[in-house]
Amino acid sequence: MKKTDLSRRSALTSLGALSFAITVPAYAASGSAIGATIDTGSVGAPISPFIYGGFIEHIADLINDSLWSEVLDDRKFYWPVVKPEPAPAAAGGRRRSPARKWHPTGSDETVSMDTKGAYVGAHSPVIHLDGDNALGIFQSGLGLGKQAYTGRVVVAADPGVAVTATLIWGNDPTQRQSVSIATSGDWATVPLAFDCGAATLDGRLEITGTGTGSFRIGAVSLMPANNIAGFRPDVIARLREMDCKIMRMPGGNFISAYDWHFTIGDRDKRPPILDPVWNFAQPNDVGIDELLYMAQLIKAEPYWCISTGFDSPRSGAEIVEYINGAATTEWGAKRAANGHPEPWGVKYWDVGNEMYGHWQMGHIAPEQYYVKHNLFVDAMRAVDPTIYIAAPGGFADEMTTGQGIFIEGQPQVAIGSERDWAYGMLKNCMGRFDALQTHAYPPENKHYDLSTGKLVDIQPSLNEWSRGMAQRIQTMADCWDAYKKAFPVLNDGKIKVFFDEWAYHFGADYKGCLAIASGFHEFFRHTDFIEAAGYTMATGWLDISPTDSVISATGRVFQLYNQHFGVIPVAVTGTSPVPPPKYPIGGDQPSVNTGSATWPVDVSAALTADRKSLIVSVVNANEQAQTLKLAINDASPAKSGRTWRLAAPGLDAQNKVGAAPQVTIQEGQFNPRAGTLTLPATSITLFEYKLA
């Protein structure tokens, strides 16, 4: 088999197609069949399984409301306990929803915050009692299921004080359960157990006492009894079903102000801190060991992010030793003491997140950052020379379309300029990374105007809209072509690109699936250098309620390709090339529009690993059915074949907890020898051709 680069420019040249820059193509007439030819002898580099990766940013409400089983917010009392505040009209800061806080059951004077003898963090609540009048604290708005709950409370009390914990799931006096808490004068951890009698979204936990004197509370926890080492069993099961190949964690913007030292050891003694990025009290419960164990549970390769914002190269070396070092090393011994004697063996490391961005905590001038990056990598590889390093790229297209600092009169960042962060990394840090990261969140129905440097409203067709993500993948590929000319060493293919944050249209409906599928097709055309991708957020593959979860429409399109598409991409040509660029090239307009020469449908094809089957994927992001005449070179398909189609009743279809799924993968049959494929409107279909 001959091997060829399937990136668009080289593939079109090798297959004799005409460049859109110099030729206006002829398009298939409306209603007529589109011709496509698949050359199974013209193959590209294999599709990395890491293309189906995910990304989790360690935002506390994202963790606590989805992955982690903890029911309570602020369980270690970062915030003082005061009377309830009026409900905010909208979430404050950058957090998606307001945090639940603890409040006194009586007047404010019954609770004070002890700053001298705090159990953990800056202060702990002290409840001042008044005889038989039960006083204490409560947290409401809890999402509870009809199930058993376990927990604990760290408490200390004066002699004779009786302390009680009560779980409430309704207004009736029978819809509650109280348990007595044994206390002493010193801090003690007391287990809790409840049997919640009904599901509610407005549950309440009270901790009250009677007697003379006071009692103190250091930490409280409440989880469903069926949790898996603290994680939600339903979410773990769904993520395992997703078969995520690689998971980028724990950040994100979050990572730049993150101190990993606070996230190891006894969870109740890890200090709560204010995350300055997302303006949320971070309990630090889901730390290094928890997240790496979660990766094991869902069978995903961990891709660990470290801070090059407020952190130091020494800290980078320490975290590598904590995670990968032998139990005889200083930090490996700490890991062993925390319950994991064997090294975690993390290979993939994300050294810094979007450090080219002025919004990033610890952002510094590029010439300073290049030195800092090299110091980090040298320190980390001195501990473990086998680790794989991905570094923040900041490609020229990213820096142009919003990731860089806008300069009046210079809206476009030129390749090789001081504002081209990726070029600077290649020039100053070569040899100290294995891959460059790139991120893209193209806005819907917007175009970046190169003359003004501003986004302008546009009204794209559904077909054009669906290619918004693919277009940004191609703008990055254009940059990579330019970097290869400036740095010929890139042509050997050893340095890769990690597209480790990407998303478009966060609605989790079927319409978004069309864009994701088109994005996958574009990834498949650049397998010579795009090695991994991380969808934002991996939890977007699910719809999650406080007590249940289902795989979302977004999750189903990932499953469609992850489970059924091939791994060896092959060349596709056609009779109807894509239109020429609509806008001046640069910014968010690539040098050539994305898609196969089968406009207005997009075709991608790949052989299975054993080369016994050819999978052809067709995205028809049009509101009319289309017909495709398909020819396959160098292969003779069997007389029967299978199809997998992402089925949905409409573009707004979603999969939601508590409702019948609207977006499903449907398996069917077709005749591979007929030579003609009928493509329903707004459809995503995979066709399997068994090869003789």
Side-chain angles (χ1 to χ4, degrees):
M1 296 279 187
K2 63 181 179 180
K3 184 175 181 179
T4 184
D5 176 4
L6 291 190
S7 65
R8 176 164 294 96
R9 195 170 292 135
S10 57
L12 289 172
T13 301
S14 65
L15 295 172
L18 296 175
S19 168
F20 302 131
I22 60 174
T23 302
V24 178
Y27 305 108
S30 177
S32 63
I34 306 157
T37 299
I38 295 175
D39 185 356
T40 58
S42 183
V43 303
I47 298 168
S48 168
F50 290 168
I51 288 296
Y52 305 109
F55 161 52
I56 295 174
E57 182 152 0
H58 205 85
I59 309 165
D61 64 331
L62 174 71
I63 296 293
N64 274 18
D65 291 348
S66 55
L67 292 167
W68 195 240
S69 287
E70 183 60 61
V71 174
L72 303 170
D73 276 354
D74 196 24
R75 72 176 196 87
K76 289 178 279 189
F77 307 103
Y78 175 84
W79 301 108
V81 178
V82 296
K83 64 183 179 181
E85 303 166 347
R94 296 168 69 179
R95 190 178 190 267
R96 296 175 301 166
S97 57
R100 295 181 296 269
K101 295 183 180 179
W102 293 95
H103 306 292
T105 60
S107 63
D108 276 1
E109 293 74 22
T110 63
V111 180
S112 64
M113 302 304 293
D114 178 12
T115 59
K116 294 183 179 180
Y119 178 76
V120 65
H123 51 212
S124 296
V126 180
I127 294 87
H128 306 279
L129 299 176
D130 182 22
D132 293 336
N133 183 22
L135 295 173
I137 63 175
F138 74 91
Q139 187 173 131
S140 59
L142 308 181
L144 302 172
K146 186 179 180 181
Q147 59 187 326
Y149 284 84
T150 59
R152 61 190 180 277
V153 57
V154 181
V155 64
D158 291 340
V161 169
V163 180
T164 301
T166 303
L167 186 67
I168 303 169
W169 54 88
N171 295 324
D172 192 279
T174 63
Q175 294 177 309
R176 61 179 58 208
Q177 181 183 358
S178 297
V179 295
S180 296
I181 298 173
T183 64
S184 67
D186 297 324
W187 290 114
T189 301
V190 182
L192 301 174
F194 300 101
D195 190 7
C196 183
T200 179
L201 294 178
D202 194 24
R204 176 173 166 132
L205 180 68
E206 294 182 353
I207 302 173
T208 59
T210 57
T212 303
S214 64
F215 72 98
R216 296 175 291 158
I217 304 173
V220 192
S221 178
L222 183 68
M223 292 184 175
N226 64 347
N227 74 83
I228 303 174
F231 290 98
R232 287 180 51 164
D234 62 308
V235 174
I236 292 297
R238 302 290 180 270
L239 288 177
R240 186 179 294 162
E241 184 181 345
M242 286 300 304
D243 189 25
C244 173
K245 305 301 186 183
I246 190 170
M247 184 69 78
R248 180 176 183 251
M249 54 189 184
N253 291 339
F254 160 85
I255 199 70
S256 291
Y258 172 72
D259 189 339
W260 67 270
H261 299 88
F262 292 153
T263 76
I264 58 177
D266 182 349
R267 283 199 288 268
D268 288 343
K269 295 296 286 185
R270 300 176 191 173
I273 62 171
L274 185 68
D275 170 10
V277 175
W278 296 103
N279 191 33
F280 185 81
Q282 173 64 249
N284 286 317
D285 287 344
V286 187
I288 291 176
D289 295 301
E290 287 81 10
L291 283 173
L292 292 177
Y293 181 62
M294 183 202 73
Q296 286 188 349
L297 288 174
I298 66 174
K299 300 181 179 179
E301 184 84 25
Y303 170 33
W304 195 264
C305 306
I306 69 168
S307 167
T308 57
F310 290 162
D311 225 334
S312 68
R314 177 178 294 180
S315 177
E318 289 174 348
I319 191 172
V320 173
E321 187 170 277
Y322 182 87
I323 290 176
N324 285 356
T328 54
T329 62
E330 178 185 359
W331 285 95
K334 296 179 189 294
R335 182 199 63 242
N338 290 334
H340 203 275
E342 294 299 316
W344 286 105
V346 172
K347 177 180 179 181
Y348 295 94
W349 293 79
D350 175 349
V351 180
N353 176 79
E354 294 180 2
M355 295 311 298
Y356 44 79
H358 58 278
W359 60 88
Q360 203 67 221
M361 297 288 175
H363 171 72
I364 56 179
E367 62 271 15
Q368 296 175 1
Y369 185 78
Y370 304 145
V371 174
K372 188 174 188 179
H373 172 85
N374 292 343
L375 291 172
F376 259 88
V377 174
D378 288 348
M380 293 168 64
R381 284 185 166 158
V383 175
D384 184 350
T386 70
I387 58 177
Y388 186 104
I389 301 291
F395 286 62
D397 65 321
E398 276 186 82
M399 304 302 288
T400 296
T401 56
Q403 300 287 57
I405 298 175
F406 175 73
I407 297 177
E408 190 70 37
Q410 302 177 42
Q412 181 158 322
V413 174
I415 295 287
S417 67
E418 291 183 1
R419 296 162 64 199
D420 184 353
W421 189 282
Y423 187 95
M425 291 294 293
L426 290 164
K427 179 180 178 181
N428 296 284
C429 305
M430 189 78 78
R432 289 184 172 94
F433 56 80
D434 302 286
L436 284 179
Q437 310 158 26
T438 186
H439 298 169
Y441 300 104
E444 299 178 70
N445 305 318
K446 300 284 185 180
H447 169 62
Y448 183 82
D449 188 332
L450 288 174
S451 64
T452 64
K454 296 180 180 180
L455 292 171
V456 296
D457 293 333
I458 58 174
Q459 294 182 327
S461 67
L462 176 62
N463 194 328
E464 292 170 326
W465 178 93
S466 72
R467 301 184 189 219
M469 187 67 235
Q471 292 283 90
R472 282 302 310 279
I473 296 170
Q474 179 58 37
T475 63
M476 184 277 302
D478 287 342
C479 292
W480 194 250
D481 283 344
Y483 297 146
K484 286 197 295 185
K485 293 177 182 177
F487 302 95
V489 68
L490 298 180
N491 289 285
D492 67 13
K494 293 180 180 179
I495 295 176
K496 302 295 185 181
V497 169
F498 277 27
F499 226 102
D500 56 20
E501 285 190 32
W502 70 284
Y504 178 69
H505 180 68
F506 289 89
D509 54 23
Y510 178 74
K511 181 181 180 182
C513 295
L514 294 170
I516 291 171
S518 297
F520 277 141
H521 284 198
E522 202 58 32
F523 283 140
F524 302 155
R525 295 182 181 111
H526 301 288
T527 55
D528 56 317
F529 66 97
I530 298 181
E531 182 71 9
Y535 186 76
T536 306
M537 299 286 177
T539 48
W541 295 332
L542 313 180
D543 182 67
I544 303 173
S545 78
T547 58
D548 201 2
S549 58
V550 297
I551 294 178
S552 67
T554 301
R556 290 302 184 201
V557 72
F558 267 80
Q559 284 185 313
L560 178 70
Y561 284 91
N562 192 6
Q563 295 175 0
H564 302 298
F565 197 62
V567 297
I568 306 170
V570 297
V572 177
T573 55
T575 61
S576 184
V578 295
K582 179 180 285 189
Y583 305 105
I585 294 169
D588 57 15
Q589 174 62 63
S591 59
V592 292
N593 283 328
T594 58
S596 58
T598 55
W599 182 270
V601 302
D602 189 16
V603 180
S604 184
L607 297 164
T608 55
D610 60 8
R611 298 179 182 254
K612 292 182 178 180
S613 293
L614 172 71
I615 312 298
V616 178
S617 172
V618 187
V619 178
N620 178 21
N622 302 279
E623 295 174 350
Q624 303 82 30
Q626 303 288 337
T627 301
L628 182 69
K629 284 189 174 181
L630 189 69
I632 302 175
N633 290 344
D634 301 328
S636 178
K639 63 181 179 180
S640 64
R642 287 185 297 178
T643 63
W644 296 276
R645 176 165 289 151
L646 199 64
L651 293 176
D652 59 352
Q654 297 186 29
N655 292 350
K656 306 292 288 185
V657 170
Q662 295 183 321
V663 182
T664 59
I665 299 173
Q666 294 184 356
E667 185 172 337
Q669 304 260 331
F670 81 110
N671 179 6
R673 296 180 178 177
T676 300
L677 303 176
T678 300
L679 310 168
T682 62
S683 61
I684 306 169
T685 313
L686 271 58
F687 300 87
E688 180 188 43
Y689 292 80
K690 292 287 187 181
L691 303 180

